[in-house]
Amino acid sequence: MKIGIFISGTGTNMVAVCRNFLEKRLEGVDEISFVLSDKRNAPGLQKAEALGIKTIVLPKRKEQTREDYEAEMLKTIEPYNVGLLVLAGFMKVLGERFLGGFHGKIINIHPSLLPSFTGVNAQSQAFEYGVKVSGCTVHFVDSTLDGGPIIIQQPVFRKNDDTDETFRARILEQEHILLSKAVSIVCKGEYKIHGRYVVVLNQEEL
Ligand code: GAR
C-alpha cells in the first residue's frame, strides 16, 4: 500500500516510520509517497528531505475557510493515490470535508492511553494529574478529537524520579515503535472492526 504522512513539528515519529520503511522493516508498505506539513518551518520537513522523501508544505491561508483548506489538501494529495494517511504529530483536527473526501484510511498517534488526556500536551496533562501509568495510542481518525477506534496502545509506567521531560521522552520512545506496528497492521489488513473494538489479527507479533 502507498502511504502519506502528515506532520506539524519535529517529525520524530515520521522519521521512525520512514527509517523502518527504508530499511525494509515496514511490512505492507510499498511506498511513502509524501510527507505533508501544515507548518512551513516544521523541522520534520528537512528530516524527510534528508531521507529522500517527497515533501509538501501546505499551510492554511488566513482568508481560507477550514472547508476550503481541506478541499485544497484533498486536491493536493489526490494524485498520489495513497491508501493510508498517517498523522504523526499533525496538530489540526480534520473535519468532515476532508474525512468525507478521502477514501483511504487515516490513523493518528497520540501520546496518552486514550480516552484519557485528549488534545495537546497529553504527556504533561498525565504527569500533572499524577497517573502511575500513561503511554501512547494509535487510533483510526474520525471527526471527534482523538476519539476514533483504538488500534494499539502501549503503556509506559511513571517512575518516582521521573520529571515531565523524562516521562515524555520515554513515551516518545514507545511511540516510535508503536506507530510503525500500527502502519503495518493497517497496510496488511490484519484487523477487523467490531463496533468500536479493533481486533488485531496475529496479536503475537505485537
Ligand atoms: C508526538 O508525541 C505525538 O504523539 C503528538 O505530537 C508529538 C509529535 O512529535 N501528537 C499529538 O499530541 C496529537 N494529538 P514528533 O513530531 O516528534 O513525531
Side-chain angles (χ1 to χ4, degrees):
M1 186 180 283
K2 289 172 27 161
I3 72 168
I5 306 179
F6 279 17
I7 62 165
S8 298
T10 45
T12 64
N13 277 290
M14 172 275 294
V15 167
V17 171
C18 291
R19 285 230 174 95
N20 282 334
F21 172 72
L22 294 168
E23 289 162 18
K24 312 219 177 304
R25 280 184 274 118
L26 199 58
E27 286 180 26
V29 177
D30 300 315
E31 178 183 297
I32 299 182
S33 305
F34 60 82
V35 168
L36 180 148
S37 171
D38 65 324
K39 298 271 183 286
R40 201 170 289 288
N41 298 322
L45 283 167
Q46 283 185 359
K47 294 176 189 167
E49 273 162 24
L51 291 167
I53 311 281
K54 158 96 188 154
T55 56
I56 301 170
V57 183
L58 194 64
K60 180 179 169 302
R61 295 191 303 277
K62 273 210 182 87
E63 72 278 10
Q64 257 180 334
T65 62
R66 182 188 191 194
E67 242 197 45
D68 290 346
Y69 176 60
E70 293 196 347
E72 190 181 353
M73 281 206 290
L74 282 171
K75 212 171 140 211
T76 305
I77 67 169
E78 197 193 321
Y80 297 94
N81 208 16
V82 296
L84 172 68
L85 279 181
V86 180
L87 310 187
F90 184 68
M91 301 312 271
K92 274 192 173 60
V93 177
L94 294 170
E96 297 293 353
R97 177 76 186 83
F98 191 90
L99 299 178
F102 181 71
H103 298 301
K105 299 182 170 56
I106 309 176
I107 64 173
N108 177 50
I109 178 121
H110 184 76
S112 75
L113 293 179
L114 289 170
S116 292
F117 309 115
T118 57
V120 294
N121 254 323
Q123 307 93 323
S124 300
Q125 291 182 50
F127 188 84
E128 278 158 25
Y129 193 89
V131 298
K132 299 283 177 176
V133 56
S134 188
C136 43
T137 302
V138 182
H139 62 91
F140 285 110
V141 171
D142 62 16
S143 59
T144 61
L145 176 67
D146 301 322
I150 290 167
I151 305 166
I152 39 176
Q153 296 187 296
Q154 178 62 46
V156 175
F157 288 87
R158 177 169 167 174
K159 296 176 181 168
N160 285 343
D161 61 354
D162 261 334
T163 61
D164 192 334
E165 287 69 33
T166 59
F167 195 40
R168 176 180 293 264
R170 285 193 297 109
I171 292 170
L172 188 62
E173 213 175 281
Q174 294 305 316
E175 289 185 47
H176 293 164
I177 300 168
L178 198 72
L179 185 55
S180 289
K181 279 185 183 168
V183 167
S184 266
I185 289 165
V186 174
C187 286
K188 289 161 81 183
E190 289 185 335
Y191 66 96
K192 290 199 169 98
I193 303 190
H194 293 168
R196 274 197 57 88
Y197 188 71
V198 179
V199 182
V200 175
L201 312 170
N202 302 324
Q203 274 273 19
E204 65 279 1
E205 283 180 15
L206 294 182

